[in-house]
Amino acid sequence: MTGMLASVVSLAEALQVREIGVDIIDLKNPAQGALGALPVAEVGRIVGCLNSGPPVSATIGDVPMDPDVVKPAVEAMASTGVDYVKIGFFPGGDWGGVIRGLSPLAGRGVRLVAVLFGDESPELDWIKELATAGFVGAMLDTRDKSKGSLRQACSDDFLRAFVSETRGRGLLCGLAGSLRVPDIAPLLALKPDYLGFRGALCGGERTDALDSESVRAISNLVRGEASSRTAA
């Protein structure tokens, strides 16, 4: 059944979504970009305070596709004890070198999730490379949040192909990118492992504080729609 990922910016927000009930708590700083990162020390503090509950993920930030930059950033974030480290695959740079450079970390048990950007038309052939290197998941997101949701950036056929290829390679599959209520049912029909939210959980913009009622409403919709599809 498809789960819900909630992106949070602080310990207070992490506790808030844990109490309401989400499947993955994702630590990031939306004010710093599409995958803006919280400081490593702050991530470590949050992980230590949470202590139990759903898995926690964290992004390394909007960094260039340079193995010498990405690998130490991943190592630092992994040292915090998060369950998943998310790496954004931004246009340009050395994607192959980054993947090869991270493979030894995957071999040592660091659970890596690649984030591809649907509005940048990524090649799905990279998913095979990610699986071979030991990544545990791949996520499709949007880089430019001003251009609407993932479903506006990508065709249904592309989204279906992404989910099929990712799950077919044995990877966790996530879909995110300015998702709103009308996006939930169509995306659940594709059967990803989770849907990710930030803006829809806030009072307005993705940089605003979380709104508990919005978190609860989205959670109920994801769980209700997913349960009805499983029962069917």
Side-chain angles (χ1 to χ4, degrees):
M1 188 170 72
T2 302
M4 175 185 171
L5 174 149
S7 292
V8 303
V9 303
S10 65
L11 175 59
E13 289 193 349
L15 293 171
Q16 186 178 354
V17 299
R18 185 177 71 173
E19 181 179 354
I20 291 170
V22 300
D23 299 289
I24 300 176
I25 297 174
D26 179 53
L27 306 179
K28 67 165 58 170
N29 183 0
Q32 296 297 318
L35 292 178
L38 291 173
V40 168
E42 178 64 8
V43 172
R45 185 181 78 87
I46 292 171
V47 171
C49 290
L50 289 175
N51 194 30
S52 63
V56 178
S57 64
T59 173
I60 63 169
D62 291 13
V63 300
M65 290 289 92
D66 179 342
D68 293 333
V69 174
V70 174
K71 185 176 179 181
V74 170
E75 289 176 319
M77 195 57 73
S79 73
T80 65
V82 293
D83 298 285
Y84 300 104
V85 179
K86 293 167 57 181
I87 304 101
F89 278 71
F90 292 89
D94 184 4
W95 284 33
V98 166
I99 293 171
R100 290 190 296 273
L102 294 179
S103 186
L105 298 184
R108 296 203 297 269
V110 178
R111 289 188 278 186
L112 306 172
V113 175
V115 182
L116 308 183
F117 296 102
D119 52 343
E120 299 287 353
S121 302
E123 294 290 336
L124 297 186
D125 289 346
W126 286 108
I127 296 174
K128 177 182 177 181
E129 302 299 321
L130 295 168
T132 300
F135 279 64
V136 301
M139 186 173 186
L140 195 63
D141 203 333
T142 56
R143 185 182 183 190
D144 187 345
K145 306 301 182 182
S146 70
K147 293 184 177 180
S149 75
L150 182 69
R151 290 182 61 237
Q152 293 172 296
C154 301
S155 69
D156 290 341
D157 286 344
F158 182 82
L159 295 174
R160 190 175 297 108
F162 176 83
V163 174
S164 176
E165 179 68 12
T166 302
R167 298 199 68 179
R169 297 288 176 185
L171 303 180
L172 285 171
C173 176
L175 300 177
S178 300
L179 302 185
R180 301 289 173 172
V181 169
D183 299 310
I184 293 175
L187 293 182
L188 286 177
L190 303 179
K191 298 183 179 180
D193 291 298
Y194 62 91
L195 298 180
F197 299 88
R198 173 62 194 179
L201 309 181
C202 301
E205 300 297 324
R206 64 196 293 265
T207 52
D208 292 340
L210 288 189
D211 172 68
S212 291
E213 290 307 310
S214 297
V215 176
R216 191 170 289 107
I218 295 293
S219 176
N220 289 340
L221 282 171
V222 171
R223 293 173 187 275
E225 290 278 357
S227 295
S228 65
R229 291 182 183 277
T230 301

